[in-house]
Amino acid sequence: MTVTRHSRSMLPIPDRVEPGLTTYDAKDPDTSYPPITPLLPPDGAPNVLVILLDDVGFGAASAFGGPCATPTAERLAAGGLSYNRFHTTALCAPTRQALLTGRNHHSVGMGSITETATSAPGNSSLRPNTKAPLALTLKLNGYSTAQFGKCHEVPVWQSSPMGPFDAWPSGGGGFETFYGFIGGENNQWEPALYEGTTPVEPPATPEEGYHLTEDLADRAIGWIRTQKALMPERPFFVYFAPGATHAPHHVPQEWIEKYRGKFSHGWDVQREQTFARQKDLGVIPADAELTPRHEEIPAWDDMPDDLKPVLEREMEVYAAFLEHTDYHVGRIIDSLEGLGVLEDTLVYLIIGDNGASAEGTLNGAFNELANFNGMAALETPEFMGPKMDELGSPSSYNHYAVGWAWAMDTPFQWTKQVASHWGGTRNGTIVHWPNGIEERGGLRSQFTHVIDIAPTILEAAGLPEPIMVNGVQQTPIEGRSMLYTFAQPEAAETHDLQYFEMFGNRGVYHKGWSAVTKHRTPWQMVGGAVPAFDDDIWELYDGNVDFSQARDLSADQPDKLHDLQRLWLIEAVKYNVLPLDDRTADRLVAEIAGRPTLVRGDSQLLFGGMGRLSENSVVSIKNRSFAVTAEIEVSDGAAAGVVVAQGGRFGGWSLYVDRGRAKFVYNVLGIHHYTTVAESVIPPGTHQVRMEFAYDGGGIAKGGDVTLFYDGTTVGQGRVEATQPLIFSADETTDVGYESGTPVSPDYTAHDSRFRGKINWVQINVGADDNDHLIDPDERVRVAMARQ
């Protein structure tokens, strides 16, 4: 079958049988058929490797003047092109969905992260089937496709082990191979991994030297080698998206020591040093200005002296994390070179999916989840001091201070989440393709955006944009190909209009000018007053002469500002940005946000062996009374192990048995452990073990009383003084009969948590206590199903 450019616009390419003679006997000499040939892209289509780092600001990597050594990025830049006006969306999941589809993030339902999705089309986290992903287009045109690392595009109600898997990389995402994690972040030492859609455990432990970034690089290298060994004529599309350098900032100790003492000057001086290096390198214009620090960000000199050693360590750990990541990216590049395919591989290295993250509070965090729960005050300087040497280790879930994030976004204003300003959206990007780019070490300054990557790859591969995929007519790709910039450094930009919006922070770029307004501050996740949208103060910048948005011209040119404000509104209507939604914590609650939930009602029935259930796959017990009842079978020996656990070392709860006695622990952020112990052991036989938590009420994050029962009889009582109101973990799960990941309780490890005995079922009930301390086994399923 002859495949033409026209036929490739309808995917899958329709099979057409050419008419001809059909003989009766295969031995007839006139029997003849054309050879079966594999589907391949057009001749000359390159291999493609897209590398997307996480939470790296423009001024972090040494390739763009930053203090973090990135020799791999520098090597690629020396052999390719650096882009200093490349933009993302200001947040991870929106940037990723935009990259993978070539459409604006609201167009594909990803107005924010999946965990805050609403029922509004622009914020639903559902990609319309009229906007097929790039990987699917490439696969249906004959590419081999694989993704390694982070996938944050799966709606939370579809993230359980039962799917549906339409939004998963190897489900409907177009990737034939996927190895990585689902969600916004993961523990680098003990991650929750998937191979395809199957939960798998890491191949080693932290004690054995395991680290997620190294594992992902190993898998990517192994896959590429296998693909080239078995299908050398077929190009590949590899998407490598490690969780680095998103918090937690986890990195081996020896990498941290390389940076000891290098940040004692603080973040204000660091910005000045980075700014000077950026000018020396030529990655910013000679007339660019360093934007001043906003009053919301404290000066380094105003920070408490006893906290400064901790703050220094936070930045040392982060710098090590980025260099460590760059090293493992370099291993992939080395493998391509060793295979002899680097010259014909189009490599995109996007150094960050948004600006540097300021979600770590003004002081930084030993456990970043404290801030996500509005409990950052628990991590006092007195608490942080003794923990300093643990930062980056398996015992921490750390993040750096806001001031360091601001410094990593030099020379721009603001940080991640602030889509209005370049500090939130401008990321240094490098393109390397020796067979397709003649210039070495060049700089490109055309305005470009993450939605431009998909059309660039299609043009480089000689492939048309599909008009039909799987029987569904497609809407046009919204990005513009960057291919013209490869050979034309001075060419006029073709992407000259782009809106931005995230949590009400918004702006528009048009032909060099930008009109922007910051609506809310990213590190104020819970509480804090925000203005009405109509009261937001807009700023105006002429990017033709002001690279860093340093000179606000709104007072001088109000008519220009009004024109751009109207243009923002037009683009917002066009791409499903409206209604604006500046809620944060409220949107974590599905009922308030209006998105579906996997579990309905006030009861859930689980069975022994179920596990790796994401937090959105289990009925929520937060800020309310709840009970957990389990029917277990105990042999003659003492029972031991986890009955059911949710969360892990950095927050959660567990009902377990220790030396025959039932225990319940509530772990608040890894800081406080409240444990209730039964007075007697569980005798042999079949029994119901029940825990009841009576919430104090009077608001969120309150404590409550704990009572333990065996077969309806009270056997223990205790007290929990505080609870986590919003989230236990971004990566830990709920498990029945064992615990994956890190342990909730220090009484056991995840490796010895498996229950010795048998768990028939576990039922979780939330809401008011009905004084029924024993569940009728014959009624348990009927009751659970009725409540759901």
Side-chain angles (χ1 to χ4, degrees), residues 83 109 134 168 316 385 391 426 474 584 587 714 745 759:
Y83 287 77
L134 171 66
W168 289 54
E316 292 166 4
L391 295 174
R426 186 166 286 181
Q474 299 296 292
T584 53
R587 288 169 61 176
T714 301
S745 170
I759 298 174

Side-chain angles (χ1 to χ4, degrees), residues 260-536:
R260 183 177 288 275
K262 292 191 175 181
F263 297 101
S264 59
H265 47 260
W267 44 70
D268 294 287
V269 172
Q270 183 59 58
R271 272 181 67 95
E272 294 171 358
Q273 293 180 353
T274 297
F275 184 64
R277 279 196 298 269
Q278 289 172 333
K279 287 200 171 183
D280 289 341
L281 286 173
V283 294
I284 64 174
D287 60 355
E289 298 179 36
L290 181 61
T291 56
R293 176 173 42 79
H294 291 274
E295 62 180 15
E296 292 93 331
I297 303 171
W300 175 260
D301 290 344
D302 292 339
M303 298 303 291
D305 288 339
D306 58 349
L307 187 62
K308 285 182 178 177
V310 178
L311 297 172
E312 288 181 47
R313 194 60 169 174
E314 292 169 1
M315 186 59 216
E316 292 166 4
V317 171
Y318 178 82
F321 193 19
L322 181 52
E323 182 178 355
H324 178 264
T325 304
D326 178 87
Y327 170 80
H328 288 290
V329 169
R331 292 176 54 226
I332 300 174
I333 300 301
D334 289 343
S335 73
L336 297 178
E337 190 168 37
L339 290 168
V341 299
L342 180 60
E343 297 290 303
D344 196 33
T345 299
L346 171 58
V347 179
Y348 263 94
L349 174 55
I350 308 164
I351 308 178
D353 54 354
N354 41 243
S357 171
E359 296 156 345
T361 80
L362 297 178
N363 292 343
F366 185 75
N367 180 358
E368 65 154 352
L369 295 169
N371 194 33
F372 292 153
N373 281 283
M375 305 173 79
L378 290 175
E379 294 194 338
T380 62
E382 293 75 21
F383 170 83
M384 294 288 285
K387 296 286 189 180
M388 181 174 70
D389 290 337
E390 296 180 50
L391 295 174
S393 74
S395 65
S396 68
Y397 207 82
N398 52 303
H399 205 324
Y400 59 11
V402 166
W404 291 125
W406 171 65
M408 294 304 101
D409 286 320
T410 303
F412 307 117
Q413 302 181 55
W414 299 112
T415 62
K416 173 183 177 180
Q417 292 192 29
V418 186
S420 50
H421 291 75
W422 299 148
T425 63
R426 186 166 286 181
N427 289 89
T429 294
I430 297 164
V431 180
H432 183 276
W433 183 21
N435 285 0
I437 301 173
E438 291 186 7
E439 186 178 355
R440 303 290 184 264
L443 180 70
R444 297 294 184 268
S445 295
Q446 291 91 347
F447 182 96
T448 48
H449 191 274
V450 69
I451 63 175
D452 298 335
I453 291 177
T456 305
I457 292 171
L458 291 178
E459 185 178 1
L463 294 171
E465 178 182 337
I467 60 174
M468 190 82 70
V469 177
N470 291 327
V472 178
Q473 185 170 347
Q474 299 296 292
T475 62
I477 285 178
E478 293 159 9
R480 298 289 182 266
S481 172
M482 298 165 57
L483 202 70
Y484 73 98
T485 67
F486 292 179
Q488 303 176 62
E490 303 300 327
E493 62 191 26
T494 60
H495 192 148
D496 60 5
L497 173 61
Q498 180 62 47
Y499 83 90
F500 296 88
E501 192 277 334
M502 193 64 61
F503 297 122
N505 298 318
R506 57 203 189 275
V508 65
Y509 171 88
H510 187 225
K511 296 183 177 180
W513 290 81
S514 59
V516 302
T517 180
K518 173 188 165 290
H519 178 72
R520 68 173 307 136
T521 303
W523 53 92
Q524 296 174 352
M525 298 183 186
V526 179
V530 293
F533 294 118
D534 288 343
D535 293 337
D536 285 333

Side-chain angles (χ1 to χ4, degrees), residues 594-623:
R595 64 176 172 271
T597 56
L598 183 64
V599 180
R600 298 177 179 85
D602 57 8
S603 179
Q604 186 172 17
L605 184 66
L606 305 172
F607 297 96
M610 292 178 66
R612 292 290 296 274
L613 306 176
S614 64
E615 198 158 320
N616 289 281
S617 302
V618 179
V619 63
S620 176
I621 56 88
K622 301 178 188 74
N623 308 308

